[in-house]
Amino acid sequence: MNTSKNVLILGANGFIGSSLCWAILNRTNWNLTAFDMADGKIQHCLGRDRFVFKKGDVTKDTDWIEAQIEKSDVVLPLVAIATPALYVKDPIRVYNLDYESNVSVIKMCVKHKKRIIFPSTSEVYGMCQDSSFDEYSSNLTLGPIPKERWIYSCIKQLLDRLIWAYGAHEGLDFTLVRPFNFIGPKLDDVKNPKEGSSRVLTQFIHNIINGKSIKLVDGGKARRSFTFIDDAMDCLLKIIENKNGCASGQIFNIGNPYMDFSIKQLAEMLVELVATYPGYAEAAKNVKIEDVSSKDYYGEGYQDVAYRIPSIKHAEELLGWKPKTDLKTALKLTLDYHLAGKDYELESARA
Ligand code: UDP
Protein backbone atom coordinates (compact mmCIF):
# COMPACT_ATOMS: atom_id res chain seq x y z
CA MET A 1 0.00 0.00 0.00
CA ASN A 2 2.82 2.36 -0.82
CA THR A 3 1.58 4.43 -3.70
CA SER A 4 1.07 7.87 -2.23
CA LYS A 5 -2.50 9.11 -2.00
CA ASN A 6 -4.57 11.83 -0.37
CA VAL A 7 -7.57 10.29 1.31
CA LEU A 8 -10.52 12.28 2.70
CA ILE A 9 -12.84 10.67 5.28
CA LEU A 10 -16.02 12.49 6.27
CA GLY A 11 -17.53 10.97 9.41
CA ALA A 12 -14.14 9.84 10.70
CA ASN A 13 -15.25 9.35 14.31
CA GLY A 14 -17.79 6.63 13.63
CA PHE A 15 -17.11 2.94 14.07
CA ILE A 16 -15.95 2.37 10.50
CA GLY A 17 -14.32 5.80 10.15
CA SER A 18 -12.24 5.59 13.31
CA SER A 19 -11.10 2.05 12.55
CA LEU A 20 -10.20 3.07 9.02
CA CYS A 21 -8.21 6.15 10.13
CA TRP A 22 -6.16 3.94 12.42
CA ALA A 23 -5.61 1.30 9.71
CA ILE A 24 -4.53 3.91 7.16
CA LEU A 25 -2.07 5.60 9.51
CA ASN A 26 -0.51 2.31 10.60
CA ARG A 27 -0.53 0.30 7.41
CA THR A 28 -0.07 2.76 4.55
CA ASN A 29 1.88 5.90 3.70
CA TRP A 30 -1.25 7.79 2.56
CA ASN A 31 -2.07 11.31 3.69
CA LEU A 32 -5.36 11.44 5.54
CA THR A 33 -7.72 14.34 6.09
CA ALA A 34 -10.55 13.54 8.47
CA PHE A 35 -13.72 15.39 9.43
CA ASP A 36 -16.30 14.78 12.13
CA MET A 37 -18.35 16.58 14.76
CA ALA A 38 -16.54 14.63 17.51
CA ASP A 39 -13.13 13.05 18.05
CA GLY A 40 -13.57 10.60 20.94
CA LYS A 41 -12.75 7.51 18.90
CA ILE A 42 -9.76 8.93 17.01
CA GLN A 43 -7.70 10.04 20.00
CA HIS A 44 -4.76 7.86 18.97
CA CYS A 45 -4.71 9.42 15.51
CA LEU A 46 -4.66 13.06 16.61
CA GLY A 47 -1.21 14.57 16.30
CA ARG A 48 0.12 11.82 14.05
CA ASP A 49 2.08 12.62 10.90
CA ARG A 50 0.06 12.55 7.68
CA PHE A 51 -3.15 13.18 9.65
CA VAL A 52 -5.22 16.36 9.57
CA PHE A 53 -8.48 16.52 11.50
CA LYS A 54 -11.20 19.16 11.43
CA LYS A 55 -14.12 19.20 13.79
CA GLY A 56 -17.31 20.47 12.18
CA ASP A 57 -20.84 19.96 10.92
CA VAL A 58 -21.19 18.28 7.54
CA THR A 59 -24.39 20.19 6.84
CA LYS A 60 -22.72 23.58 7.45
CA ASP A 61 -19.01 23.34 6.57
CA THR A 62 -19.66 22.75 2.90
CA ASP A 63 -17.04 25.22 1.62
CA TRP A 64 -14.31 23.54 3.64
CA ILE A 65 -15.50 20.12 2.50
CA GLU A 66 -15.47 21.15 -1.16
CA ALA A 67 -11.95 22.57 -0.82
CA GLN A 68 -10.76 19.27 0.68
CA ILE A 69 -12.45 17.23 -2.03
CA GLU A 70 -10.57 19.30 -4.62
CA LYS A 71 -7.27 18.43 -2.92
CA SER A 72 -7.96 14.73 -2.43
CA ASP A 73 -7.57 11.65 -4.63
CA VAL A 74 -10.30 9.61 -3.01
CA VAL A 75 -13.29 10.54 -0.83
CA LEU A 76 -15.14 8.34 1.68
CA PRO A 77 -18.36 10.02 2.87
CA LEU A 78 -19.14 7.91 5.94
CA VAL A 79 -21.52 10.33 7.66
CA ALA A 80 -24.82 8.55 8.34
CA ILE A 81 -27.23 7.39 11.01
CA ALA A 82 -27.15 3.59 10.76
CA THR A 83 -29.16 2.25 13.71
CA PRO A 84 -32.53 0.59 12.97
CA ALA A 85 -34.26 2.03 16.05
CA LEU A 86 -33.66 5.53 14.69
CA TYR A 87 -35.02 4.66 11.22
CA VAL A 88 -38.32 4.10 13.01
CA LYS A 89 -38.08 6.84 15.65
CA ASP A 90 -36.72 9.70 13.56
CA PRO A 91 -36.88 8.90 9.85
CA ILE A 92 -36.79 12.58 8.84
CA ARG A 93 -33.49 13.09 10.62
CA VAL A 94 -32.18 9.96 8.91
CA TYR A 95 -33.27 11.37 5.54
CA ASN A 96 -31.75 14.82 6.15
CA LEU A 97 -28.39 13.49 7.19
CA ASP A 98 -28.04 10.28 5.21
CA TYR A 99 -29.51 11.59 1.96
CA GLU A 100 -29.19 15.38 1.79
CA SER A 101 -25.66 15.70 3.15
CA ASN A 102 -24.32 12.83 1.06
CA VAL A 103 -25.93 13.84 -2.20
CA SER A 104 -24.10 17.15 -2.07
CA VAL A 105 -20.77 15.38 -1.47
CA ILE A 106 -21.46 13.02 -4.38
CA LYS A 107 -22.10 16.01 -6.67
CA MET A 108 -18.87 17.65 -5.53
CA CYS A 109 -16.96 14.47 -6.44
CA VAL A 110 -18.58 14.54 -9.89
CA LYS A 111 -17.74 18.23 -10.33
CA HIS A 112 -14.09 17.83 -9.32
CA LYS A 113 -13.70 14.40 -10.97
CA LYS A 114 -12.68 12.67 -7.75
CA ARG A 115 -12.93 9.02 -6.90
CA ILE A 116 -15.65 8.22 -4.36
CA ILE A 117 -15.94 5.10 -2.21
CA PHE A 118 -19.48 5.14 -0.97
CA PRO A 119 -20.77 3.12 1.98
CA SER A 120 -23.90 1.47 0.71
CA THR A 121 -25.32 -1.08 3.15
CA SER A 122 -26.33 -4.71 3.46
CA GLU A 123 -29.75 -3.21 4.36
CA VAL A 124 -30.33 -2.52 0.66
CA TYR A 125 -31.05 -6.23 0.15
CA GLY A 126 -33.90 -5.92 2.66
CA MET A 127 -35.97 -9.11 2.77
CA CYS A 128 -34.28 -10.61 -0.28
CA GLN A 129 -35.05 -14.34 -0.53
CA ASP A 130 -31.77 -15.49 -2.08
CA SER A 131 -29.72 -17.88 0.03
CA SER A 132 -26.84 -15.42 -0.15
CA PHE A 133 -27.02 -11.85 -1.41
CA ASP A 134 -25.19 -11.05 -4.62
CA GLU A 135 -24.27 -7.52 -5.64
CA TYR A 136 -25.17 -8.03 -9.30
CA SER A 137 -28.10 -10.43 -9.32
CA SER A 138 -30.06 -10.23 -6.05
CA ASN A 139 -33.29 -8.30 -5.89
CA LEU A 140 -33.58 -5.51 -3.34
CA THR A 141 -36.81 -6.24 -1.46
CA LEU A 142 -38.36 -3.66 0.86
CA GLY A 143 -41.60 -3.59 2.87
CA PRO A 144 -44.54 -1.19 2.53
CA ILE A 145 -44.22 2.56 3.23
CA PRO A 146 -45.72 2.51 6.78
CA LYS A 147 -42.90 0.17 7.72
CA GLU A 148 -40.55 3.08 8.32
CA ARG A 149 -37.55 0.88 8.95
CA TRP A 150 -36.88 0.80 5.23
CA ILE A 151 -36.17 4.51 4.84
CA TYR A 152 -32.44 3.96 5.38
CA SER A 153 -32.30 1.10 2.90
CA CYS A 154 -34.26 3.12 0.35
CA ILE A 155 -32.04 6.21 0.74
CA LYS A 156 -28.90 4.15 0.31
CA GLN A 157 -30.37 2.37 -2.68
CA LEU A 158 -31.19 5.67 -4.38
CA LEU A 159 -27.68 6.99 -3.67
CA ASP A 160 -26.21 3.74 -5.04
CA ARG A 161 -28.26 4.19 -8.20
CA LEU A 162 -27.30 7.85 -8.52
CA ILE A 163 -23.59 7.05 -8.14
CA TRP A 164 -23.91 4.20 -10.63
CA ALA A 165 -25.57 6.59 -13.10
CA TYR A 166 -22.85 9.23 -12.67
CA GLY A 167 -20.33 6.46 -13.28
CA ALA A 168 -22.05 5.21 -16.42
CA HIS A 169 -22.94 8.58 -17.94
CA GLU A 170 -20.49 11.16 -16.58
CA GLY A 171 -17.36 9.13 -15.90
CA LEU A 172 -17.44 9.22 -12.08
CA ASP A 173 -14.84 6.84 -10.64
CA PHE A 174 -16.64 5.03 -7.82
CA THR A 175 -16.85 1.92 -5.66
CA LEU A 176 -19.94 0.94 -3.66
CA VAL A 177 -19.24 -1.05 -0.50
CA ARG A 178 -21.85 -2.95 1.52
CA PRO A 179 -20.98 -3.64 5.16
CA PHE A 180 -22.60 -6.70 6.74
CA ASN A 181 -23.00 -6.17 10.52
CA PHE A 182 -19.46 -5.08 11.34
CA ILE A 183 -18.59 -5.69 14.98
CA GLY A 184 -15.57 -4.85 17.12
CA PRO A 185 -14.26 -2.80 20.00
CA LYS A 186 -15.47 0.59 18.85
CA LEU A 187 -19.03 -0.19 17.76
CA ASP A 188 -21.36 1.93 19.96
CA ASP A 189 -20.58 2.91 23.53
CA VAL A 190 -21.48 0.01 25.85
CA LYS A 191 -21.60 2.32 28.86
CA ASN A 192 -24.14 4.58 27.23
CA PRO A 193 -25.93 2.54 24.57
CA LYS A 194 -29.03 4.75 24.29
CA GLU A 195 -31.47 1.98 25.27
CA GLY A 196 -33.13 0.60 22.18
CA SER A 197 -30.97 2.66 19.80
CA SER A 198 -27.73 0.74 19.59
CA ARG A 199 -26.69 -2.17 17.49
CA VAL A 200 -27.49 -5.51 19.03
CA LEU A 201 -24.02 -6.45 20.26
CA THR A 202 -23.52 -3.22 22.23
CA GLN A 203 -26.98 -3.43 23.69
CA PHE A 204 -26.47 -7.00 24.88
CA ILE A 205 -23.06 -6.33 26.47
CA HIS A 206 -24.50 -3.29 28.26
CA ASN A 207 -27.48 -5.23 29.55
CA ILE A 208 -25.40 -8.16 30.82
CA ILE A 209 -22.90 -6.02 32.74
CA ASN A 210 -25.57 -3.75 34.19
CA GLY A 211 -27.92 -6.46 35.48
CA LYS A 212 -30.64 -5.72 32.90
CA SER A 213 -32.40 -8.47 30.97
CA ILE A 214 -31.42 -9.20 27.41
CA LYS A 215 -34.40 -8.67 25.13
CA LEU A 216 -34.71 -11.02 22.20
CA VAL A 217 -36.85 -9.35 19.58
CA ASP A 218 -39.38 -11.90 18.28
CA GLY A 219 -37.46 -14.66 20.09
CA GLY A 220 -34.08 -13.77 18.55
CA LYS A 221 -34.68 -15.97 15.52
CA ALA A 222 -33.39 -13.39 13.03
CA ARG A 223 -29.93 -14.25 11.74
CA ARG A 224 -27.02 -11.99 10.85
CA SER A 225 -23.58 -12.55 9.35
CA PHE A 226 -21.26 -10.67 11.68
CA THR A 227 -17.97 -9.34 10.33
CA PHE A 228 -15.00 -8.47 12.49
CA ILE A 229 -13.84 -4.93 11.91
CA ASP A 230 -10.20 -5.85 11.14
CA ASP A 231 -11.31 -8.16 8.33
CA ALA A 232 -13.46 -5.34 7.00
CA MET A 233 -10.51 -2.93 7.15
CA ASP A 234 -8.32 -5.36 5.16
CA CYS A 235 -10.96 -5.25 2.45
CA LEU A 236 -11.46 -1.49 2.55
CA LEU A 237 -7.72 -0.82 2.31
CA LYS A 238 -7.56 -2.96 -0.84
CA ILE A 239 -10.49 -1.02 -2.27
CA ILE A 240 -8.87 2.36 -1.52
CA GLU A 241 -5.55 1.09 -2.94
CA ASN A 242 -7.39 0.08 -6.13
CA LYS A 243 -4.50 -1.80 -7.70
CA ASN A 244 -4.83 -1.69 -11.51
CA GLY A 245 -8.30 -0.17 -11.08
CA CYS A 246 -9.65 -3.48 -9.69
CA ALA A 247 -12.26 -1.75 -7.53
CA SER A 248 -13.33 1.02 -9.90
CA GLY A 249 -16.96 0.86 -11.03
CA GLN A 250 -17.61 -2.14 -8.76
CA ILE A 251 -19.96 -3.06 -5.92
CA PHE A 252 -18.57 -5.17 -3.07
CA ASN A 253 -20.28 -6.93 -0.20
CA ILE A 254 -17.95 -6.79 2.79
CA GLY A 255 -19.14 -9.54 5.06
CA ASN A 256 -18.42 -12.89 6.57
CA PRO A 257 -20.76 -15.65 5.34
CA TYR A 258 -19.15 -18.07 7.80
CA MET A 259 -20.39 -16.00 10.76
CA ASP A 260 -24.13 -16.53 10.20
CA PHE A 261 -25.72 -16.80 13.67
CA SER A 262 -29.15 -16.18 15.16
CA ILE A 263 -29.51 -13.30 17.62
CA LYS A 264 -30.41 -15.88 20.26
CA GLN A 265 -27.14 -17.71 19.63
CA LEU A 266 -25.29 -14.40 19.88
CA ALA A 267 -26.91 -13.70 23.26
CA GLU A 268 -26.05 -17.15 24.60
CA MET A 269 -22.47 -16.98 23.39
CA LEU A 270 -22.00 -13.54 24.93
CA VAL A 271 -23.37 -14.55 28.33
CA GLU A 272 -20.98 -17.51 28.38
CA LEU A 273 -18.00 -15.34 27.43
CA VAL A 274 -18.76 -12.44 29.78
CA ALA A 275 -18.78 -14.95 32.65
CA THR A 276 -15.07 -15.61 32.02
CA TYR A 277 -14.05 -11.99 32.79
CA PRO A 278 -13.00 -11.25 36.38
CA GLY A 279 -15.70 -9.26 38.13
CA TYR A 280 -18.46 -10.11 35.67
CA ALA A 281 -19.21 -13.79 36.38
CA GLU A 282 -22.01 -12.96 38.81
CA ALA A 283 -23.67 -10.52 36.41
CA ALA A 284 -23.52 -13.09 33.60
CA LYS A 285 -24.93 -15.84 35.84
CA ASN A 286 -27.90 -13.70 36.87
CA VAL A 287 -28.82 -12.24 33.48
CA LYS A 288 -32.31 -13.00 32.26
CA ILE A 289 -33.07 -13.52 28.59
CA GLU A 290 -36.61 -12.38 27.70
CA ASP A 291 -38.63 -12.47 24.52
CA VAL A 292 -40.20 -9.23 23.33
CA SER A 293 -42.31 -8.54 20.28
CA SER A 294 -40.78 -6.28 17.65
CA LYS A 295 -43.85 -4.06 17.95
CA ASP A 296 -43.24 -3.52 21.67
CA TYR A 297 -39.49 -3.05 21.25
CA TYR A 298 -39.31 -0.85 18.16
CA GLY A 299 -42.91 0.16 17.39
CA GLU A 300 -45.27 -0.40 14.45
CA GLY A 301 -42.83 0.90 11.84
CA TYR A 302 -40.37 -1.95 12.32
CA GLN A 303 -39.99 -4.99 10.14
CA ASP A 304 -37.07 -7.36 10.53
CA VAL A 305 -34.64 -8.95 8.11
CA ALA A 306 -34.83 -12.71 8.69
CA TYR A 307 -31.28 -13.42 7.50
CA ARG A 308 -28.50 -11.58 5.77
CA ILE A 309 -25.74 -13.67 4.25
CA PRO A 310 -23.33 -12.05 1.80
CA SER A 311 -21.92 -13.62 -1.30
CA ILE A 312 -18.27 -12.54 -1.22
CA LYS A 313 -17.12 -14.18 -4.42
CA HIS A 314 -16.76 -10.79 -6.04
CA ALA A 315 -14.38 -9.50 -3.34
CA GLU A 316 -12.50 -12.81 -3.38
CA GLU A 317 -12.02 -12.75 -7.13
CA LEU A 318 -11.28 -9.07 -7.74
CA LEU A 319 -9.55 -8.11 -4.50
CA GLY A 320 -8.14 -11.43 -3.30
CA TRP A 321 -9.85 -10.81 0.06
CA LYS A 322 -11.42 -13.24 2.49
CA PRO A 323 -12.47 -12.69 6.14
CA LYS A 324 -10.43 -14.61 8.71
CA THR A 325 -11.90 -13.98 12.17
CA ASP A 326 -14.47 -16.30 13.79
CA LEU A 327 -17.27 -15.01 16.01
CA LYS A 328 -15.79 -16.18 19.29
CA THR A 329 -12.50 -14.40 18.61
CA ALA A 330 -14.33 -11.25 17.50
CA LEU A 331 -16.45 -11.23 20.66
CA LYS A 332 -13.47 -11.88 22.91
CA LEU A 333 -11.48 -9.01 21.38
CA THR A 334 -14.48 -6.73 21.85
CA LEU A 335 -15.00 -7.83 25.45
CA ASP A 336 -11.26 -7.48 26.22
CA TYR A 337 -11.63 -3.84 25.22
CA HIS A 338 -14.75 -3.15 27.26
CA LEU A 339 -14.32 -5.41 30.27
CA ALA A 340 -10.57 -5.95 30.62
CA GLY A 341 -9.43 -2.42 29.74
CA LYS A 342 -7.28 -3.57 26.80
CA ASP A 343 -6.54 -0.80 24.34
CA TYR A 344 -7.28 -2.74 21.20
CA GLU A 345 -5.71 -0.32 18.76
CA LEU A 346 -2.42 0.14 20.57
CA GLU A 347 -2.08 -3.58 21.27
CA SER A 348 -2.78 -4.62 17.70
CA ALA A 349 -0.44 -1.93 16.32
CA ARG A 350 2.36 -3.32 18.52
CA ALA A 351 1.65 -6.95 17.60
N1 UDP B 1 -32.23 -7.07 18.46
C1 UDP B 1 -32.64 -7.77 19.62
N2 UDP B 1 -32.51 -7.15 20.83
C2 UDP B 1 -31.96 -5.90 20.99
C3 UDP B 1 -31.53 -5.21 19.82
C4 UDP B 1 -31.68 -5.83 18.57
O1 UDP B 1 -33.13 -8.90 19.54
O2 UDP B 1 -31.86 -5.42 22.14
C5 UDP B 1 -32.35 -7.74 17.15
C6 UDP B 1 -33.03 -6.94 16.03
O3 UDP B 1 -34.45 -7.09 16.05
C7 UDP B 1 -32.43 -7.58 14.78
C8 UDP B 1 -31.00 -7.93 15.22
O4 UDP B 1 -31.03 -7.94 16.65
O5 UDP B 1 -33.10 -8.79 14.48
C9 UDP B 1 -29.91 -7.00 14.72
O6 UDP B 1 -30.23 -5.69 15.07
P1 UDP B 1 -29.22 -4.45 14.91
O7 UDP B 1 -29.85 -3.27 15.61
O8 UDP B 1 -27.85 -4.81 15.37
O9 UDP B 1 -29.14 -4.09 13.36
P2 UDP B 1 -29.56 -4.73 11.94
O10 UDP B 1 -28.72 -5.95 11.75
O11 UDP B 1 -31.03 -5.07 11.97
O12 UDP B 1 -29.25 -3.66 10.96
Short mmCIF file of all heavy atoms in Angstrom, two decimals, residues 122-131 133 138-145 147 149-150 153 157 224 302-308:
data_model
loop_
_atom_site.label_atom_id
_atom_site.label_comp_id
_atom_site.label_asym_id
_atom_site.label_seq_id
_atom_site.Cartn_x
_atom_site.Cartn_y
_atom_site.Cartn_z
N SER A 122 -25.69 -3.41 3.66
CA SER A 122 -26.33 -4.71 3.46
C SER A 122 -27.85 -4.56 3.61
O SER A 122 -28.60 -5.42 3.14
CB SER A 122 -25.80 -5.72 4.47
OG SER A 122 -25.86 -5.20 5.78
N GLU A 123 -28.30 -3.48 4.25
CA GLU A 123 -29.75 -3.21 4.36
C GLU A 123 -30.42 -3.06 3.00
O GLU A 123 -31.63 -3.22 2.89
CB GLU A 123 -29.99 -1.90 5.13
CG GLU A 123 -30.04 -2.02 6.63
CD GLU A 123 -31.45 -2.18 7.18
OE1 GLU A 123 -32.41 -1.55 6.68
OE2 GLU A 123 -31.58 -2.96 8.13
N VAL A 124 -29.66 -2.71 1.96
CA VAL A 124 -30.33 -2.52 0.66
C VAL A 124 -30.97 -3.82 0.16
O VAL A 124 -31.93 -3.79 -0.58
CB VAL A 124 -29.42 -1.97 -0.47
CG1 VAL A 124 -28.95 -0.56 -0.18
CG2 VAL A 124 -28.28 -2.88 -0.78
N TYR A 125 -30.46 -4.96 0.59
CA TYR A 125 -31.05 -6.23 0.15
C TYR A 125 -32.40 -6.48 0.83
O TYR A 125 -33.20 -7.29 0.34
CB TYR A 125 -30.11 -7.40 0.43
CG TYR A 125 -28.81 -7.30 -0.34
CD1 TYR A 125 -27.63 -6.92 0.30
CD2 TYR A 125 -28.77 -7.57 -1.70
CE1 TYR A 125 -26.44 -6.81 -0.41
CE2 TYR A 125 -27.59 -7.46 -2.41
CZ TYR A 125 -26.43 -7.08 -1.76
OH TYR A 125 -25.27 -6.97 -2.47
N GLY A 126 -32.62 -5.80 1.96
CA GLY A 126 -33.90 -5.92 2.66
C GLY A 126 -34.26 -7.37 2.93
O GLY A 126 -33.46 -8.14 3.45
N MET A 127 -35.48 -7.74 2.51
CA MET A 127 -35.97 -9.11 2.77
C MET A 127 -35.75 -10.01 1.55
O MET A 127 -36.59 -10.87 1.24
CB MET A 127 -37.45 -9.03 3.16
CG MET A 127 -37.65 -8.25 4.44
SD MET A 127 -39.39 -7.97 4.83
CE MET A 127 -39.86 -6.84 3.53
N CYS A 128 -34.66 -9.79 0.88
CA CYS A 128 -34.28 -10.61 -0.28
C CYS A 128 -34.35 -12.10 0.09
O CYS A 128 -33.98 -12.49 1.20
CB CYS A 128 -32.85 -10.23 -0.67
SG CYS A 128 -32.16 -11.22 -1.98
N GLN A 129 -34.85 -12.91 -0.83
CA GLN A 129 -35.05 -14.34 -0.53
C GLN A 129 -33.90 -15.23 -0.99
O GLN A 129 -33.93 -16.44 -0.80
CB GLN A 129 -36.34 -14.82 -1.22
CG GLN A 129 -37.61 -14.11 -0.75
CD GLN A 129 -37.97 -14.45 0.69
OE1 GLN A 129 -38.17 -15.61 1.02
NE2 GLN A 129 -38.00 -13.44 1.55
N ASP A 130 -32.89 -14.66 -1.61
CA ASP A 130 -31.77 -15.49 -2.08
C ASP A 130 -31.02 -16.09 -0.88
O ASP A 130 -30.96 -15.47 0.18
CB ASP A 130 -30.77 -14.65 -2.90
CG ASP A 130 -31.40 -14.14 -4.19
OD1 ASP A 130 -32.53 -14.57 -4.52
OD2 ASP A 130 -30.78 -13.29 -4.84
N SER A 131 -30.41 -17.25 -1.11
CA SER A 131 -29.72 -17.88 0.03
C SER A 131 -28.49 -17.07 0.43
O SER A 131 -28.13 -17.02 1.60
CB SER A 131 -29.35 -19.32 -0.33
OG SER A 131 -28.57 -19.31 -1.50
N PHE A 133 -26.69 -13.05 -0.64
CA PHE A 133 -27.02 -11.85 -1.41
C PHE A 133 -25.88 -11.46 -2.34
O PHE A 133 -24.74 -11.29 -1.89
CB PHE A 133 -27.34 -10.68 -0.45
CG PHE A 133 -28.45 -10.96 0.53
CD1 PHE A 133 -28.62 -10.15 1.65
CD2 PHE A 133 -29.33 -12.04 0.34
CE1 PHE A 133 -29.65 -10.41 2.57
CE2 PHE A 133 -30.35 -12.29 1.25
CZ PHE A 133 -30.50 -11.48 2.37
N SER A 138 -28.98 -10.14 -7.04
CA SER A 138 -30.06 -10.23 -6.05
C SER A 138 -31.03 -9.06 -6.17
O SER A 138 -30.62 -7.92 -6.43
CB SER A 138 -29.48 -10.22 -4.63
OG SER A 138 -28.89 -11.46 -4.35
N ASN A 139 -32.30 -9.37 -5.94
CA ASN A 139 -33.29 -8.30 -5.89
C ASN A 139 -33.24 -7.61 -4.54
O ASN A 139 -32.91 -8.22 -3.52
CB ASN A 139 -34.69 -8.87 -6.12
CG ASN A 139 -34.88 -9.30 -7.56
OD1 ASN A 139 -34.38 -8.64 -8.47
ND2 ASN A 139 -35.58 -10.41 -7.76
N LEU A 140 -33.59 -6.31 -4.58
CA LEU A 140 -33.58 -5.51 -3.34
C LEU A 140 -35.05 -5.40 -2.92
O LEU A 140 -35.84 -4.77 -3.61
CB LEU A 140 -32.96 -4.15 -3.62
CG LEU A 140 -31.61 -4.20 -4.37
CD1 LEU A 140 -31.08 -2.79 -4.62
CD2 LEU A 140 -30.57 -5.02 -3.61
N THR A 141 -35.40 -6.04 -1.79
CA THR A 141 -36.81 -6.24 -1.46
C THR A 141 -37.19 -5.52 -0.17
O THR A 141 -36.77 -5.93 0.91
CB THR A 141 -37.06 -7.76 -1.26
OG1 THR A 141 -36.52 -8.46 -2.38
CG2 THR A 141 -38.54 -8.07 -1.15
N LEU A 142 -37.98 -4.45 -0.32
CA LEU A 142 -38.36 -3.66 0.86
C LEU A 142 -39.84 -3.80 1.18
O LEU A 142 -40.64 -4.15 0.32
CB LEU A 142 -38.03 -2.18 0.63
CG LEU A 142 -36.60 -1.86 0.19
CD1 LEU A 142 -36.34 -0.37 0.26
CD2 LEU A 142 -35.59 -2.59 1.06
N GLY A 143 -40.21 -3.50 2.44
CA GLY A 143 -41.60 -3.59 2.87
C GLY A 143 -42.38 -2.34 2.50
O GLY A 143 -41.85 -1.41 1.89
N PRO A 144 -43.68 -2.32 2.89
CA PRO A 144 -44.54 -1.19 2.53
C PRO A 144 -44.14 0.11 3.25
O PRO A 144 -43.42 0.07 4.25
CB PRO A 144 -45.93 -1.65 2.99
CG PRO A 144 -45.68 -2.71 4.00
CD PRO A 144 -44.38 -3.36 3.65
N ILE A 145 -44.64 1.24 2.73
CA ILE A 145 -44.22 2.56 3.23
C ILE A 145 -44.43 2.74 4.75
O ILE A 145 -43.56 3.29 5.42
CB ILE A 145 -44.94 3.69 2.43
CG1 ILE A 145 -44.53 3.62 0.95
CG2 ILE A 145 -44.64 5.08 3.01
CD1 ILE A 145 -43.05 3.77 0.66
N LYS A 147 -44.00 0.82 7.01
CA LYS A 147 -42.90 0.17 7.72
C LYS A 147 -41.67 1.06 7.55
O LYS A 147 -40.89 0.93 6.59
CB LYS A 147 -42.64 -1.24 7.16
CG LYS A 147 -43.80 -2.19 7.40
CD LYS A 147 -44.00 -2.46 8.88
CE LYS A 147 -45.19 -3.35 9.16
NZ LYS A 147 -45.58 -3.33 10.59
N ARG A 149 -38.91 1.40 8.85
CA ARG A 149 -37.55 0.88 8.95
C ARG A 149 -36.77 0.97 7.63
O ARG A 149 -35.57 1.12 7.60
CB ARG A 149 -37.61 -0.60 9.36
CG ARG A 149 -36.25 -1.19 9.66
CD ARG A 149 -35.95 -2.40 8.84
NE ARG A 149 -34.53 -2.73 8.93
CZ ARG A 149 -34.00 -3.54 9.82
NH1 ARG A 149 -34.75 -4.13 10.71
NH2 ARG A 149 -32.71 -3.76 9.84
N TRP A 150 -37.54 0.90 6.53
CA TRP A 150 -36.88 0.80 5.23
C TRP A 150 -36.38 2.12 4.67
O TRP A 150 -35.81 2.15 3.59
CB TRP A 150 -37.80 0.08 4.24
CG TRP A 150 -38.18 -1.28 4.75
CD1 TRP A 150 -39.43 -1.68 5.15
CD2 TRP A 150 -37.31 -2.39 4.99
NE1 TRP A 150 -39.39 -2.98 5.61
CE2 TRP A 150 -38.09 -3.43 5.52
CE3 TRP A 150 -35.94 -2.60 4.80
CZ2 TRP A 150 -37.56 -4.67 5.87
CZ3 TRP A 150 -35.41 -3.83 5.14
CH2 TRP A 150 -36.22 -4.84 5.67
N SER A 153 -32.60 1.97 4.03
CA SER A 153 -32.30 1.10 2.90
C SER A 153 -32.61 1.81 1.58
O SER A 153 -31.84 1.77 0.62
CB SER A 153 -33.14 -0.17 3.05
OG SER A 153 -33.00 -0.97 1.92
N GLN A 157 -30.18 2.93 -1.34
CA GLN A 157 -30.37 2.37 -2.68
C GLN A 157 -30.40 3.48 -3.74
O GLN A 157 -29.79 3.36 -4.80
CB GLN A 157 -31.66 1.54 -2.76
CG GLN A 157 -31.78 0.86 -4.10
CD GLN A 157 -33.11 0.16 -4.34
OE1 GLN A 157 -33.55 0.08 -5.48
NE2 GLN A 157 -33.72 -0.38 -3.31
N ARG A 224 -27.90 -12.96 11.47
CA ARG A 224 -27.02 -11.99 10.85
C ARG A 224 -25.66 -12.64 10.61
O ARG A 224 -25.23 -13.51 11.36
CB ARG A 224 -26.80 -10.78 11.78
CG ARG A 224 -28.04 -9.92 12.02
CD ARG A 224 -28.48 -9.17 10.77
NE ARG A 224 -29.60 -8.27 11.03
CZ ARG A 224 -30.88 -8.63 10.98
NH1 ARG A 224 -31.22 -9.88 10.66
NH2 ARG A 224 -31.82 -7.74 11.21
N TYR A 302 -41.52 -1.04 12.47
CA TYR A 302 -40.37 -1.95 12.32
C TYR A 302 -40.76 -3.20 11.55
O TYR A 302 -41.88 -3.69 11.64
CB TYR A 302 -39.86 -2.34 13.71
CG TYR A 302 -38.60 -3.18 13.70
CD1 TYR A 302 -37.36 -2.61 13.42
CD2 TYR A 302 -38.65 -4.54 14.00
CE1 TYR A 302 -36.20 -3.37 13.43
CE2 TYR A 302 -37.49 -5.31 14.02
CZ TYR A 302 -36.27 -4.71 13.73
OH TYR A 302 -35.13 -5.48 13.74
N GLN A 303 -39.84 -3.70 10.80
CA GLN A 303 -39.99 -4.99 10.14
C GLN A 303 -38.59 -5.57 10.09
O GLN A 303 -37.64 -4.83 9.79
CB GLN A 303 -40.54 -4.78 8.72
CG GLN A 303 -41.07 -6.02 8.06
CD GLN A 303 -41.86 -5.68 6.79
OE1 GLN A 303 -41.64 -4.65 6.16
NE2 GLN A 303 -42.74 -6.57 6.39
N ASP A 304 -38.44 -6.83 10.40
CA ASP A 304 -37.07 -7.36 10.53
C ASP A 304 -36.58 -8.01 9.24
O ASP A 304 -37.36 -8.34 8.34
CB ASP A 304 -37.00 -8.37 11.69
CG ASP A 304 -35.62 -8.39 12.36
OD1 ASP A 304 -34.66 -7.89 11.76
OD2 ASP A 304 -35.53 -8.93 13.48
N VAL A 305 -35.29 -8.20 9.19
CA VAL A 305 -34.64 -8.95 8.11
C VAL A 305 -34.39 -10.34 8.69
O VAL A 305 -33.72 -10.46 9.72
CB VAL A 305 -33.29 -8.27 7.78
CG1 VAL A 305 -32.49 -9.10 6.81
CG2 VAL A 305 -33.50 -6.85 7.27
N ALA A 306 -34.92 -11.37 8.08
CA ALA A 306 -34.83 -12.71 8.69
C ALA A 306 -33.39 -13.25 8.67
O ALA A 306 -32.94 -13.88 9.61
CB ALA A 306 -35.75 -13.67 7.94
N TYR A 307 -32.69 -12.99 7.59
CA TYR A 307 -31.28 -13.42 7.50
C TYR A 307 -30.58 -12.52 6.51
O TYR A 307 -31.22 -11.84 5.67
CB TYR A 307 -31.16 -14.89 7.08
CG TYR A 307 -31.70 -15.16 5.69
CD1 TYR A 307 -30.87 -15.10 4.58
CD2 TYR A 307 -33.05 -15.45 5.49
CE1 TYR A 307 -31.37 -15.32 3.30
CE2 TYR A 307 -33.55 -15.67 4.22
CZ TYR A 307 -32.71 -15.61 3.13
OH TYR A 307 -33.21 -15.82 1.87
N ARG A 308 -29.25 -12.51 6.61
CA ARG A 308 -28.50 -11.58 5.77
C ARG A 308 -27.11 -12.17 5.55
O ARG A 308 -26.19 -11.93 6.30
CB ARG A 308 -28.43 -10.25 6.54
CG ARG A 308 -27.74 -9.14 5.84
CD ARG A 308 -27.60 -7.97 6.77
NE ARG A 308 -28.76 -7.08 6.80
CZ ARG A 308 -28.95 -6.18 7.77
NH1 ARG A 308 -28.11 -6.06 8.76
NH2 ARG A 308 -29.99 -5.38 7.71
#
